[in-house]
Amino acid sequence: MDWLERTAKLRQWTRSGTRAPHKPLLLLYALGRFQEDAEAELRYSAVEEDLQRLLTEYGPPNKTTPAYPFHHLVSDGVWEVRTDRGPGSPGSGVRELREWGAAGRLAPELRSALRREPQLLGRIARLLLDLHFPPSLHGELCEAVGLEPQPGETERLSAARRQRDRHMRELVLTAYEYQCAFCGYDGRIGGVPVGLEGAHVRWWAFDGPDDVDNGLCLCSLHHKLFDKGVLGVGDGHRILVSQRFVGSSTAAREHVISLAGRPLIGPQPGTRRIAAAHRVWHTSQVFHGAPRPATLA
């Protein structure tokens, strides 16, 4: 059984690029718990808060519940659920999962494969991260699910899998003249840019192209906040700041809150600006809540 291929083909609700990372997040969490205790079961009532926190932080902006993946991941053959009444899930209702004492863990065949081939766990985790989340979130996601990174690259599942364009970063940084499009930061060491990154607006994992009109040159801080949905780009290519972001320090006000309503810096004349379709995708699938009103200069 090819566990990497099965992982890559998790059945998810999809429509026009809508994000649905519920199952990938549960599977990442289960892999982290397997690393800690290979035989432990995850009782829904005990892990519900952890799973809800993951969905809130790394899931789409709309409200959702961990009950959905806890029940439906069984159909993908990588997860099993039993209750106090016997094998099988009682359904995707929160009340039933709690009252019936539902507990889940990785499927027996997958647990056996992970014991035989320890590096498989790292490959599955890497695949889930690559397929569903931008690179800027991989490290903190591993920490959030208690997953210790392991060496080993993801195996190629098919000749059709896309490869990233290694020139993307240079093209985007050049288009924005090596300065952060949000704050203007342009630090260098010996002529080499430092702390500047090429960010995808529509995530590469969700068919975002490696094109300049899907990219932004951002400093490390604003790249992370952009991928976490704190920042966005609205009509007129002005910066959006989520009302859900809270910060009382001078740094938070100056580096984040004060950006609300400001125009983007760049790109240079003759370069394509962010395509409307990519801006709309980021606003609907990543940006959290409503934007703050523009700050007064």
Side-chain angles (χ1 to χ4, degrees):
M1 184 175 297
D2 191 331
W3 291 106
L4 290 175
E5 185 171 0
R6 181 165 290 192
T7 298
K9 294 181 177 179
L10 292 178
R11 289 188 285 272
Q12 296 170 272
W13 187 87
T14 57
R15 185 183 67 187
S16 303
T18 300
R19 293 179 60 217
H22 309 68
K23 288 181 177 180
L25 284 169
L26 173 57
L27 188 49
L28 282 168
Y29 183 81
L31 290 171
R33 296 296 292 268
F34 179 87
Q35 257 188 349
E36 182 181 325
D37 184 348
E39 296 301 326
E41 288 187 325
L42 307 181
R43 200 169 184 86
Y44 181 79
S45 58
V47 301
E48 181 180 10
E49 185 176 342
D50 284 350
L51 296 176
Q52 185 63 64
R53 189 180 302 113
L54 288 172
L55 283 172
T56 300
E57 188 164 359
Y58 300 102
N62 54 296
K63 292 184 178 180
T64 187
T65 169
Y68 171 85
F70 203 92
H71 166 72
H72 287 288
L73 188 59
V74 173
S75 64
D76 293 284
V78 298
W79 178 251
E80 66 174 3
V81 176
R82 69 165 188 82
T83 70
D84 294 338
R85 306 181 189 187
S89 172
S92 59
V94 173
R95 180 177 178 180
E96 289 79 7
L97 289 169
R98 292 172 179 167
E99 293 182 353
W100 288 41
R105 61 178 176 174
L106 299 176
E109 298 86 354
L110 178 53
R111 298 200 307 272
S112 297
L114 292 172
R115 292 190 190 94
R116 288 194 308 270
E117 187 182 353
Q119 286 189 334
L120 178 61
L121 189 148
R123 294 193 182 106
I124 292 175
R126 174 56 58 189
L127 182 59
L128 289 167
L129 292 168
D130 284 343
L131 290 178
H132 302 285
F133 305 97
S136 67
L137 302 184
H138 291 184
E140 67 174 69
L141 244 176
C142 285
E143 290 184 15
V145 299
L147 196 59
E148 289 292 333
Q150 294 182 341
E153 298 180 355
T154 303
E155 296 178 8
R156 184 175 298 177
L157 299 179
S158 72
R161 280 197 67 192
R162 293 195 304 144
Q163 298 296 315
R164 293 177 184 268
D165 184 349
R166 60 189 177 88
H167 300 297
M168 166 75 170
R169 176 179 180 273
E170 186 64 26
L171 290 172
V172 171
L173 266 61
T174 299
Y176 285 85
E177 300 182 283
Y178 294 88
Q179 58 182 333
C180 176
F182 287 171
C183 70
Y185 169 81
D186 61 354
R188 297 169 180 260
I189 292 181
V192 178
V194 59
L196 286 173
E197 302 166 355
H200 282 79
V201 179
R202 182 184 181 118
W203 293 354
W204 187 88
F206 286 84
D207 297 323
D210 288 327
D211 297 332
V212 170
D213 65 1
N214 186 41
L216 278 173
C217 175
L218 297 177
C219 66
S220 300
L221 170 64
H222 291 135
H223 188 180
K224 176 62 69 69
L225 296 179
F226 187 64
D227 283 346
K228 293 294 285 287
V230 172
L231 299 174
V233 179
D235 295 337
H237 292 80
R238 291 184 175 274
I239 301 170
L240 304 178
V241 179
S242 173
Q243 289 183 348
R244 298 182 185 176
F245 176 81
V246 176
S248 58
S249 67
T250 300
R253 291 194 301 272
E254 291 182 353
H255 300 307
V256 183
I257 296 172
S258 67
L259 297 177
R262 288 188 190 177
L264 290 181
I265 300 171
Q268 60 178 288
T271 303
R272 289 175 297 167
R273 305 181 83 183
I274 302 170
H278 302 324
R279 287 193 294 106
V280 169
W281 182 90
H282 185 275
T283 301
S284 66
Q285 298 302 313
V286 181
F287 187 75
H288 281 278
R292 287 172 173 264
T295 57
L296 299 177

